[in-house]
Amino acid sequence: MVVLGAWAALVARSAWVARSEAREAVHALAAARREASLDPDGPATARLRRALAHVEEARSELDRPWMTPLRILPVAGRQIDAAESLSESASLLLDTAITGIEELGGGFERRLADGPQRVDLLRRTGRVADAARARLAAVDLGPSGGLIRPLADARHDFDVELARIRSMLDTAATLAPALADVFEGPRHYLVLAANNAEMRAGSGMFLMAGELVTGNGSIGLTAMRPTSDLTLAEGVAVNPEVDALWSWLGTGREWRNLGATPRFDVTAE
C-alpha cells in the first residue's frame, strides 16, 4: 500500500505539472499573438520560445518512468497517449514557427534597401513556407475518441488551428514565389480603369488604360490614358459568338466596349 500510494502521488504530481506547463504554454502563445511580429529578436518570438520550453517540460513529465504503467490501462492509457501526441505536435509546431522566423531574419520588420532584396525575401518566404508545410504534414494529434473533456477540447482547438495554419502555408508557398517572379520581371501588364456607372456585364466600361511594369524588385505604373484615344482603325478578330451578338459595339476596335460579355477568358483574349 505504501508503494502504491507513493506511485499514485508521483503520477498525480506529474499530471499536475504537465497540465500547469501546458497552460503556461497556452498563455505564452496567446501573448505572442497579441504582439504578432516576425522579428527573431522581438518579444513575440521570445514568447514562442518560452511556450516551447513549457511544452517540452510538459512532455518530459508525461514521459516519466512512473507514467508507463498507466499506458496499459484502456482509459487512462488513451488519455496519456492523447496528451503526449498533443504535446509532441505542439512542440513541432512551435519549433517550426521559430525556425521560420529565424530564417526570414526579420525581413518583414525593416525597410528593405532595394528591389532585389524584396525579391529575395519573397523567395525565402516561399522556401520557408514550403519547408514548414512539409514538417507539419507529419503532425499526428493522436486518438480523438474517449477523451476527458479538457483533452477533447484541446485536441479540437488544435485540429482547427492546425488546419488554418496549413492553409496559410499552402497559400504562402504558392503565392510568394509567384510574386517574386512578377517583381523580378521584367513583366508588362495592361491596367484598365472601369467606370461602374457604365456597366458592361458587371465589369464596367473601360475608360482609361495604362501599363504596369515590374522588374528588379520594383513596380511602376505609366500615365493612364483615355481609351477613346486608343480606338483601333482596323480592329482585331474577336470571338465569333461575341461578334455575332455585339459587333455593333465595335468590340474588336473599341476599348470601352471590351466588357460586353461576362466571360473574362473571352474578354481577356
Side-chain angles (χ1 to χ4, degrees):
M1 291 296 293
V2 170
V3 171
L4 189 61
W7 172 73
L10 288 172
V11 168
R13 179 189 179 281
S14 288
W16 183 83
V17 171
R19 179 177 179 274
S20 299
E21 292 293 338
R23 289 172 64 88
E24 289 299 321
V26 170
H27 293 156
L29 184 58
R33 280 180 167 169
R34 289 193 297 270
E35 300 166 349
S37 167
L38 291 176
D39 182 0
D41 300 318
T45 307
R47 292 187 184 277
L48 288 178
R49 294 190 179 100
R50 193 174 307 156
L52 178 58
H54 286 302
V55 169
E56 290 296 331
E57 186 61 32
R59 286 181 63 187
S60 69
E61 289 296 330
L62 293 173
D63 202 36
R64 299 287 188 188
W66 48 82
M67 302 295 285
T68 302
L70 290 177
R71 299 181 187 276
I72 64 175
L73 301 177
V75 177
R78 176 175 290 270
Q79 313 308 315
I80 296 296
D81 288 344
E84 192 167 56
S85 295
L86 288 174
S87 62
E88 289 177 357
S89 299
S91 179
L92 177 60
L93 181 59
L94 288 166
D95 183 67
T96 300
I98 294 167
T99 300
I101 291 172
E102 290 173 346
E103 290 179 356
L104 289 175
F108 287 100
E109 301 297 321
R110 65 176 186 273
R111 183 178 179 85
L112 300 177
D114 52 34
Q117 287 189 350
R118 301 186 194 111
V119 175
D120 175 68
L121 180 58
L122 284 169
R123 296 209 184 281
R124 278 191 289 133
T125 300
R127 291 194 297 269
V128 166
D130 193 50
R133 180 172 58 176
R135 289 191 71 187
L136 296 187
V139 168
D140 180 8
L141 300 183
S144 58
L147 302 179
I148 60 176
R149 184 63 179 270
L151 272 177
D153 289 345
R155 191 189 187 286
H156 173 267
D157 293 344
F158 200 147
D159 194 29
V160 171
E161 185 68 10
L162 183 61
R164 186 182 71 86
I165 291 171
R166 281 172 168 164
S167 176
M168 291 172 62
L169 289 173
D170 285 341
T171 300
T174 302
L175 187 59
L179 283 174
D181 289 341
V182 169
F183 274 89
E184 189 171 35
R187 300 285 184 92
H188 300 263
Y189 298 93
L190 172 65
V191 177
L192 295 171
N195 176 2
N196 58 10
E198 298 282 355
M199 300 304 289
R200 294 293 186 272
S203 63
M205 179 182 283
F206 303 136
L207 298 183
M208 302 289 286
E211 184 182 14
L212 187 72
V213 182
T214 68
N216 203 32
S218 297
I219 185 170
L221 179 65
T222 64
M224 301 291 286
R225 298 176 56 190
T227 53
S228 57
D229 296 344
L230 303 174
T231 303
L232 301 180
E234 299 297 330
V236 297
V238 297
N239 181 283
E241 294 181 8
V242 173
D243 188 56
L245 290 170
W246 309 107
S247 59
W248 58 279
L249 288 176
T251 49
R253 300 176 56 251
E254 176 60 73
W255 290 81
R256 289 171 292 185
N257 292 329
L258 275 178
T261 171
R263 290 181 54 192
F264 178 74
D265 58 328
V266 174
T267 298
E269 184 180 28

